[in-house]
């Protein structure tokens, strides 16, 4: 009989137990929530990152608000100032790219009475601002995070070996029955954006007609970047059938859900 020692691999260490903490503030005309999962969610660096994220959103509101008379955007629209925050130039470039990428279904330019064009990036700014705010969380080690702003959600994980990206289950509200969840998407990293008329009426304008889009339903886009998920969701609400054809070719990492 031959005997031999059989090597036994050491048991893998148990994954860390993550606790969860949430913060909510009212910014940019909506309730913004930040959820963090970490072994110690009360860490000072986490709290500091959350403060920076909300400060980022407040600054974006000060620059792009269509309700505050002192915002850079409204003063620019009224011809009161030429020197505006550098974010305005960044957003202009993004809006031009978005218009090209969506074949004009997304547009940040609208006509005033008399036909004078005006720059109005509200269809992009909330998702862009939320994505920028989430970057303050993405650099915090060993956390997972979710930032939700109205119909826009960004999720991800900070650097470090001890926290793997958990799955966040994001409910999509039934646009015909408020309070009812019609579908759930599971996301580890990326963004989820929803556009429709149930909550805010016909606020999305069809650039082809200049009229607001008012019909039942909603359009949700899921993908790696919340800014572009938001752009595609807006475009899809204008013309869901056309976006359903374009999206696999233009941005195959993004998927469309029509309710």
């Amino acid at each position: 009989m031959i005997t031999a020692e059989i090597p036994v691999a050491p048991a893998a260490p148990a994954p860390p137990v993550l606790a969860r903490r949430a913060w909510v503030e009212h910014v940019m005309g909506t309730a913004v929530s930040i959820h963090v999962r970490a072994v110690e969610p009360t860490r000072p660096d986490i709290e500091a990152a959350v403060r920076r994220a909300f400060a980022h959103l407040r600054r974006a509101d000060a620059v792009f608000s269509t309700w505050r008379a002192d915002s850079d955007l409204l003063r620019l629209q009224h011809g009161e100032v030429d020197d505006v925050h550098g974010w305005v130039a960044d957003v202009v470039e993004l809006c031009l790219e978005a218009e090209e990428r969506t074949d004009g279904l997304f547009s940040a330019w609208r006509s005033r009475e008399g036909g004078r064009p005006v720059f109005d990036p509200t269809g992009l700014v909330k998702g862009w601002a939320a994505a920028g705010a989430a970057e303050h969380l993405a650099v915090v080690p060993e956390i997972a995070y979710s930032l939700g702003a109205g119909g826009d959600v960004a999720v991800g994980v900070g650097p470090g070996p001890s926290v793997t990206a958990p799955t966040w289950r994001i409910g999509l509200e039934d646009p015909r029955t408020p309070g009812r969840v019609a579908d759930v998407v599971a996301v580890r990293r990326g963004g989820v954006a929803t556009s429709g008329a149930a909550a805010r009426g016909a606020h999305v304008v069809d650039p082809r007609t200049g009229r607001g889009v008012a019909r039942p339903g909603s359009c949700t886009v899921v993908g790696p970047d919340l800014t572009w998920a938001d752009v595609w969701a807006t475009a899809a609400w204008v013309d869901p059938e056309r976006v359903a054809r374009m999206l696999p070719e233009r941005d195959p990492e993004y998927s469309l859900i029509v309710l």
Side-chain angles (χ1 to χ4, degrees):
M1 182 174 66
I2 299 174
T3 62
E5 292 185 359
I6 301 175
V8 178
V17 177
L18 303 182
R20 186 163 172 168
R21 187 177 176 191
W23 296 258
V24 180
E25 291 191 17
H26 198 270
V27 192
M28 299 187 76
T30 190
V32 176
S33 63
I34 294 176
H35 295 257
V36 169
R37 294 174 178 174
V39 174
E40 293 288 348
T42 58
R43 283 166 27 198
D45 61 334
I46 296 175
E47 295 181 345
V50 170
R51 289 194 297 269
R52 290 194 299 270
F54 281 122
H56 184 101
L57 292 170
R58 287 191 293 271
R59 183 58 180 151
D61 190 42
V63 173
F64 293 105
S65 174
T66 58
W67 299 97
R68 295 175 50 164
D70 62 343
S71 74
D72 291 37
L73 178 63
L74 283 190
R75 290 187 297 146
L76 183 65
Q77 288 180 354
H78 297 155
E80 298 174 359
V81 64
D82 294 323
D83 184 18
V84 293
H85 196 286
W87 282 350
V88 174
D90 296 339
V91 167
V92 168
E93 289 298 319
L94 279 171
C95 288
L96 289 170
E97 183 180 351
E99 186 166 345
E100 181 178 1
R101 194 181 293 194
T102 63
D103 279 353
L105 293 178
F106 175 94
S107 180
W109 284 264
R110 58 181 174 82
S111 296
R112 284 178 173 170
E113 292 184 9
R116 178 188 172 192
V118 62
F119 177 60
D120 183 359
T122 52
L124 177 144
V125 159
K126 183 158 65 71
W128 168 84
E135 288 300 312
H136 293 281
L137 305 170
V139 299
V140 180
E142 302 186 349
I143 71 166
Y145 63 85
S146 169
L147 186 151
D152 298 329
V153 181
V155 304
V157 63
S162 68
V163 176
T164 57
T167 298
W168 296 87
R169 291 174 55 81
I170 300 168
L172 307 183
E173 186 176 37
D174 187 336
R176 297 169 179 82
T177 308
R180 176 181 177 273
V181 175
D183 200 355
V184 175
V185 295
V187 185
R188 291 181 181 273
R189 300 173 188 257
V192 180
T194 299
S195 186
R200 298 173 55 196
H203 68 287
V204 175
V205 174
D206 186 335
R208 302 167 298 184
T209 65
R211 295 192 294 270
V213 181
R215 65 170 182 273
S218 66
C219 292
T220 296
V221 173
V222 183
D225 185 290
L226 177 57
T227 300
W228 290 106
D230 196 22
V231 166
W232 279 115
T234 301
W237 182 240
V238 171
D239 195 330
E241 291 81 10
R242 190 172 171 192
V243 167
R245 295 192 300 269
M246 283 197 298
L247 201 53
E249 178 183 348
R250 303 284 174 90
D251 272 320
E253 293 183 287
Y254 293 78
S255 58
L256 171 65
I257 301 168
V258 179
L259 297 177

